[in-house]
Amino acid sequence: MLGFNEAQIREQLSSAVALRPQIEQLVDQLLERGIDNVLLVGSGGTYAQAWPYEYLARRFSKLPIRAVISRELIESGDAWLGENTLAVFMSVSGTTEDVLLAIDYVKSQGATTVSFTGVPESPIAQKVDHTLSSAPKTWPFDPQLLLLVGRIMNVRGEFPGYESLADELTALPDAVIDAAKAAEEQASAFAEAHKDTDYHFLIGGGPLWGFTYLYSMCILEEMQWLRTTRVNSAEFFHGSLELLEEDTSVIIFQGEDETRPLTDRAEAFAKRISKDVNVFDTRNYELKGFSPENRALIAPIVLDAVMGRVSKHLERVRDHSLDLRRYYRVMDY
């Protein structure tokens, strides 16, 4: 498979899942000491990656758990931020400037800081109170966030399904790799059909809204310099649908959670207007080892792997490296 390093993917996911004992021990200690709010702090992709876990917490927990943009947090502050705050940071490289500044800020307010990164000697890892390191270049951070937020809610008596979820995550590397392989044909066909497409309209909802935002902004825009519109399926009928035309490329991310009917509704309408609607649905993948309720929770991880295949084929057909940037970390701003 084009640009597919199975051994690396397996190592990264396995190392993330293997953090379970450390995460549980840390969560138990912090809750016993007294934590009354959690900030999941990121920039770009790591900010978007925190959204499913804010969404999960909103459904089940009375503890404030929120995703926040690192630089905005510094400028705006947060009424909950203080000595009983747990601030969680994620960074592949461990060098993201906005995240480094946000760590300094929350620590100045007394917060306890934790980082997830694959570079334990990195500046971010060195700045925080607790570093939980996985294999180099580990991505995505969803397994760690699932374990962290899930454990917090479980200890509080709000998420009885945690043990089942955490146990099933041991099957994650195989499930994700199998899904990526199963998606190869669709990924290649999509890329071939959209070699010259310069605009895509993306729809996703619930726990997949964060991934929709991420794939639109961080992959298609940042890595391929393509124009996009992204909209939450629950909001689709409140403005963005007016952009659809017969030849609009529509990409729909579909999961197995309670918001599926909202995305079904958007899909049905999109297909009435456009002849170019592509649906990437986690139901199409076996995900061996996962129960129905936990399939819904790992949907962002599965689609990250599936769309990773699309990205590799877009890179090929468009002759545009995923590593090429014009401005990000190239110019001063």
Side-chain angles (χ1 to χ4, degrees):
M1 286 168 57
L2 177 71
F4 186 68
N5 190 330
E6 180 174 335
Q8 183 182 64
I9 294 170
R10 186 178 301 279
E11 179 188 21
Q12 291 175 352
L13 288 174
S14 296
S15 69
V17 173
L19 289 172
R20 176 184 177 180
Q22 296 178 54
I23 292 172
E24 292 182 348
Q25 182 181 26
L26 178 60
V27 165
D28 293 354
Q29 290 174 351
L30 293 175
L31 287 177
E32 183 177 357
R33 195 187 75 192
I35 292 293
D36 61 19
N37 70 100
V38 180
L39 299 180
L40 307 175
V41 188
S43 295
T46 53
Y47 166 58
Q49 213 163 96
W51 288 1
Y53 311 102
E54 176 188 282
Y55 176 85
L56 181 66
R58 285 205 315 270
R59 290 184 61 216
F60 294 111
S61 182
K62 293 184 179 180
L63 184 73
I65 299 178
R66 300 190 301 285
V68 295
I69 304 173
S70 53
R71 199 56 179 260
E72 184 177 72
L73 175 65
I74 296 169
E75 301 300 331
S76 67
D78 190 295
W80 278 93
L81 180 58
E83 294 181 357
N84 293 324
T85 297
L86 171 61
V88 182
F89 301 86
M90 300 144 282
S91 176
V92 173
S93 67
T95 62
T96 309
E97 182 179 350
D98 286 357
V99 173
L100 286 166
L101 293 171
I103 293 172
D104 288 337
Y105 173 69
V106 301
K107 290 186 77 170
S108 74
Q109 304 300 305
T112 299
T113 53
V114 173
S115 75
F116 291 116
T117 180
V119 190
E121 68 278 8
S122 66
I124 286 173
Q126 296 300 311
K127 272 183 174 287
V128 298
D129 300 310
H130 307 277
T131 295
L132 298 170
S133 300
S134 50
K137 297 184 179 180
T138 292
W139 178 273
F141 292 102
D142 295 79
Q144 298 96 310
L145 291 172
L146 261 178
L147 289 166
L148 179 84
V149 174
R151 180 66 173 186
I152 290 171
M153 295 191 299
N154 178 247
V155 173
R156 289 170 49 84
E158 297 169 327
F159 189 45
Y162 171 76
E163 293 294 339
S164 166
L165 170 65
D167 289 345
E168 290 181 15
L169 283 178
T170 59
L172 188 65
D174 284 338
V176 166
I177 289 169
D178 288 347
K181 291 178 178 178
E184 185 71 1
E185 184 176 348
Q186 184 185 11
S188 178
F190 177 89
E192 293 288 351
H194 294 88
K195 176 180 178 180
D196 299 317
T197 302
D198 62 1
Y199 170 71
H200 298 275
F201 188 111
L202 291 83
I203 304 171
L208 286 175
W209 168 234
F211 180 73
T212 306
Y213 177 94
L214 185 157
Y215 198 77
S216 171
M217 184 175 77
C218 300
I219 308 300
L220 295 181
E221 292 180 353
E222 178 184 331
M223 297 184 180
Q224 288 294 291
W225 304 351
L226 294 168
R227 293 171 176 81
T228 72
T229 293
R230 47 192 173 262
V231 64
N232 190 304
S233 56
E235 284 284 272
F236 173 73
F237 293 99
H238 297 275
S240 295
L241 78 168
E242 294 294 340
L243 294 175
L244 293 185
E245 297 181 2
E246 185 179 65
D247 61 348
T248 303
S249 169
V250 181
I251 302 172
I252 297 176
F253 298 130
Q254 182 62 283
E256 301 168 57
D257 62 279
E258 63 284 345
T259 67
R260 185 179 179 94
L262 298 176
T263 305
D264 282 340
R265 183 178 65 152
E267 176 187 341
F269 184 89
K271 287 180 174 178
R272 288 168 57 188
I273 308 300
S274 174
K275 294 181 179 179
D276 188 8
V277 178
N278 285 269
V279 181
F280 295 88
D281 188 341
T282 61
R283 277 189 180 174
N284 293 333
Y285 307 103
E286 183 180 8
L287 306 185
K288 186 177 180 181
F290 285 91
S291 56
E293 59 271 22
N294 291 332
R295 288 176 63 95
L297 293 173
I298 65 166
I301 311 172
V302 174
L303 285 185
D304 186 272
V306 167
M307 296 307 295
R309 303 311 308 145
V310 173
S311 303
K312 283 296 183 182
H313 283 286
L314 283 174
E315 178 181 52
R316 170 181 59 83
V317 300
R318 301 187 69 249
D319 192 26
H320 185 118
S321 170
L322 294 167
D323 297 321
L324 182 64
R325 305 289 186 275
R326 287 184 292 194
Y327 312 122
Y328 180 61
R329 297 200 179 197
V330 175
M331 296 179 63
D332 292 330
Y333 44 81

Short mmCIF file of all heavy atoms in Angstrom, two decimals, residues 129-153:
data_model
loop_
_atom_site.label_atom_id
_atom_site.label_comp_id
_atom_site.label_asym_id
_atom_site.label_seq_id
_atom_site.Cartn_x
_atom_site.Cartn_y
_atom_site.Cartn_z
N ASP A 129 3.89 19.21 34.45
CA ASP A 129 4.09 18.46 35.70
C ASP A 129 4.17 16.97 35.47
O ASP A 129 4.90 16.26 36.16
CB ASP A 129 2.94 18.76 36.67
CG ASP A 129 2.83 20.23 37.00
OD1 ASP A 129 3.86 20.83 37.36
OD2 ASP A 129 1.71 20.79 36.91
N HIS A 130 3.41 16.48 34.49
CA HIS A 130 3.36 15.04 34.22
C HIS A 130 3.39 14.81 32.71
O HIS A 130 2.53 15.33 31.99
CB HIS A 130 2.08 14.41 34.79
CG HIS A 130 1.86 14.70 36.24
ND1 HIS A 130 2.46 13.96 37.25
CD2 HIS A 130 1.11 15.65 36.85
CE1 HIS A 130 2.07 14.44 38.42
NE2 HIS A 130 1.25 15.47 38.20
N THR A 131 4.37 14.04 32.24
CA THR A 131 4.47 13.71 30.83
C THR A 131 4.17 12.22 30.63
O THR A 131 4.74 11.38 31.32
CB THR A 131 5.87 14.01 30.27
OG1 THR A 131 6.12 15.41 30.32
CG2 THR A 131 5.99 13.54 28.83
N LEU A 132 3.28 11.93 29.70
CA LEU A 132 2.95 10.55 29.36
C LEU A 132 3.35 10.35 27.90
O LEU A 132 2.70 10.85 26.99
CB LEU A 132 1.46 10.30 29.57
CG LEU A 132 0.99 10.48 31.02
CD1 LEU A 132 -0.52 10.46 31.12
CD2 LEU A 132 1.58 9.39 31.91
N SER A 133 4.45 9.62 27.71
CA SER A 133 5.06 9.53 26.39
C SER A 133 4.73 8.21 25.70
O SER A 133 4.71 7.15 26.32
CB SER A 133 6.58 9.66 26.50
OG SER A 133 6.93 10.90 27.07
N SER A 134 4.50 8.31 24.41
CA SER A 134 4.26 7.14 23.56
C SER A 134 5.37 7.07 22.52
O SER A 134 6.37 7.78 22.61
CB SER A 134 2.88 7.26 22.91
OG SER A 134 2.73 8.52 22.29
N ALA A 135 5.20 6.21 21.52
CA ALA A 135 6.21 6.07 20.47
C ALA A 135 6.36 7.38 19.70
O ALA A 135 5.44 8.19 19.64
CB ALA A 135 5.81 4.95 19.52
N PRO A 136 7.53 7.61 19.10
CA PRO A 136 7.76 8.83 18.32
C PRO A 136 6.70 9.04 17.24
O PRO A 136 6.25 8.08 16.60
CB PRO A 136 9.14 8.60 17.70
CG PRO A 136 9.82 7.66 18.64
CD PRO A 136 8.74 6.76 19.14
N LYS A 137 6.29 10.29 17.06
CA LYS A 137 5.34 10.71 16.04
C LYS A 137 3.96 10.09 16.21
O LYS A 137 3.20 9.99 15.25
CB LYS A 137 5.89 10.42 14.64
CG LYS A 137 7.17 11.20 14.32
CD LYS A 137 7.61 10.95 12.89
CE LYS A 137 8.87 11.74 12.56
NZ LYS A 137 9.33 11.51 11.17
N THR A 138 3.63 9.68 17.44
CA THR A 138 2.31 9.10 17.67
C THR A 138 1.20 10.06 17.28
O THR A 138 1.20 11.23 17.67
CB THR A 138 2.15 8.70 19.15
OG1 THR A 138 3.02 7.61 19.44
CG2 THR A 138 0.73 8.26 19.44
N TRP A 139 0.28 9.56 16.49
CA TRP A 139 -0.90 10.30 16.05
C TRP A 139 -1.96 9.28 15.66
O TRP A 139 -1.62 8.27 15.06
CB TRP A 139 -0.56 11.18 14.85
CG TRP A 139 -1.76 11.93 14.33
CD1 TRP A 139 -2.68 11.49 13.41
CD2 TRP A 139 -2.18 13.25 14.70
NE1 TRP A 139 -3.64 12.43 13.20
CE2 TRP A 139 -3.35 13.53 13.98
CE3 TRP A 139 -1.67 14.19 15.59
CZ2 TRP A 139 -4.03 14.73 14.11
CZ3 TRP A 139 -2.34 15.39 15.70
CH2 TRP A 139 -3.50 15.66 14.97
N PRO A 140 -3.19 9.48 16.00
CA PRO A 140 -3.75 10.59 16.77
C PRO A 140 -3.63 10.36 18.28
O PRO A 140 -3.14 9.31 18.71
CB PRO A 140 -5.23 10.57 16.35
CG PRO A 140 -5.51 9.11 16.11
CD PRO A 140 -4.24 8.56 15.50
N PHE A 141 -4.10 11.35 19.05
CA PHE A 141 -4.05 11.25 20.51
C PHE A 141 -5.38 10.77 21.11
O PHE A 141 -5.55 10.79 22.32
CB PHE A 141 -3.69 12.62 21.11
CG PHE A 141 -2.28 13.05 20.80
CD1 PHE A 141 -2.02 13.99 19.80
CD2 PHE A 141 -1.21 12.51 21.49
CE1 PHE A 141 -0.72 14.37 19.50
CE2 PHE A 141 0.10 12.89 21.20
CZ PHE A 141 0.35 13.82 20.21
N ASP A 142 -6.27 10.33 20.26
CA ASP A 142 -7.59 9.89 20.73
C ASP A 142 -7.54 8.77 21.77
O ASP A 142 -8.30 8.81 22.75
CB ASP A 142 -8.44 9.44 19.55
CG ASP A 142 -8.78 10.57 18.62
OD1 ASP A 142 -7.91 10.93 17.81
OD2 ASP A 142 -9.90 11.10 18.69
N PRO A 143 -6.69 7.74 21.61
CA PRO A 143 -6.69 6.69 22.64
C PRO A 143 -6.37 7.23 24.03
O PRO A 143 -7.01 6.86 25.03
CB PRO A 143 -5.60 5.72 22.15
CG PRO A 143 -5.53 5.94 20.68
CD PRO A 143 -5.78 7.41 20.49
N GLN A 144 -5.38 8.12 24.11
CA GLN A 144 -5.00 8.69 25.40
C GLN A 144 -6.15 9.53 25.98
O GLN A 144 -6.42 9.47 27.18
CB GLN A 144 -3.75 9.56 25.25
CG GLN A 144 -2.50 8.80 24.79
CD GLN A 144 -2.28 8.90 23.30
OE1 GLN A 144 -3.19 8.66 22.51
NE2 GLN A 144 -1.07 9.26 22.90
N LEU A 145 -6.80 10.32 25.13
CA LEU A 145 -7.89 11.16 25.61
C LEU A 145 -9.11 10.33 26.02
O LEU A 145 -9.79 10.66 27.00
CB LEU A 145 -8.28 12.18 24.54
CG LEU A 145 -7.22 13.25 24.26
CD1 LEU A 145 -7.61 14.09 23.05
CD2 LEU A 145 -6.99 14.14 25.48
N LEU A 146 -9.39 9.26 25.29
CA LEU A 146 -10.46 8.36 25.67
C LEU A 146 -10.20 7.77 27.06
O LEU A 146 -11.10 7.70 27.91
CB LEU A 146 -10.58 7.22 24.67
CG LEU A 146 -11.65 7.31 23.59
CD1 LEU A 146 -11.57 6.11 22.67
CD2 LEU A 146 -13.04 7.42 24.19
N LEU A 147 -8.97 7.33 27.29
CA LEU A 147 -8.62 6.75 28.57
C LEU A 147 -8.66 7.80 29.68
O LEU A 147 -9.19 7.54 30.77
CB LEU A 147 -7.23 6.12 28.50
CG LEU A 147 -7.13 4.83 27.68
CD1 LEU A 147 -5.67 4.48 27.39
CD2 LEU A 147 -7.81 3.67 28.40
N LEU A 148 -8.14 8.97 29.41
CA LEU A 148 -8.10 10.02 30.43
C LEU A 148 -9.50 10.48 30.82
O LEU A 148 -9.88 10.45 32.00
CB LEU A 148 -7.29 11.21 29.92
CG LEU A 148 -7.19 12.38 30.90
CD1 LEU A 148 -6.07 12.16 31.90
CD2 LEU A 148 -6.97 13.70 30.16
N VAL A 149 -10.28 10.91 29.84
CA VAL A 149 -11.62 11.42 30.12
C VAL A 149 -12.53 10.29 30.61
O VAL A 149 -13.32 10.47 31.54
CB VAL A 149 -12.21 12.11 28.87
CG1 VAL A 149 -13.65 12.53 29.11
CG2 VAL A 149 -11.37 13.33 28.50
N GLY A 150 -12.38 9.13 30.01
CA GLY A 150 -13.19 7.99 30.44
C GLY A 150 -12.92 7.60 31.88
O GLY A 150 -13.85 7.33 32.66
N ARG A 151 -11.65 7.60 32.27
CA ARG A 151 -11.30 7.25 33.65
C ARG A 151 -11.82 8.30 34.63
O ARG A 151 -12.32 7.96 35.72
CB ARG A 151 -9.78 7.12 33.79
CG ARG A 151 -9.31 6.76 35.19
CD ARG A 151 -9.75 5.36 35.59
NE ARG A 151 -9.17 4.95 36.86
CZ ARG A 151 -9.29 3.73 37.38
NH1 ARG A 151 -9.97 2.79 36.72
NH2 ARG A 151 -8.73 3.44 38.54
N ILE A 152 -11.69 9.56 34.28
CA ILE A 152 -12.20 10.62 35.15
C ILE A 152 -13.69 10.41 35.42
O ILE A 152 -14.15 10.43 36.57
CB ILE A 152 -11.96 12.01 34.52
CG1 ILE A 152 -10.47 12.36 34.53
CG2 ILE A 152 -12.76 13.09 35.28
CD1 ILE A 152 -10.12 13.60 33.75
N MET A 153 -14.44 10.19 34.37
CA MET A 153 -15.89 10.01 34.54
C MET A 153 -16.21 8.71 35.27
O MET A 153 -17.15 8.65 36.07
CB MET A 153 -16.57 10.04 33.17
CG MET A 153 -16.46 11.39 32.47
SD MET A 153 -17.53 11.52 31.00
CE MET A 153 -16.89 10.20 29.99
#
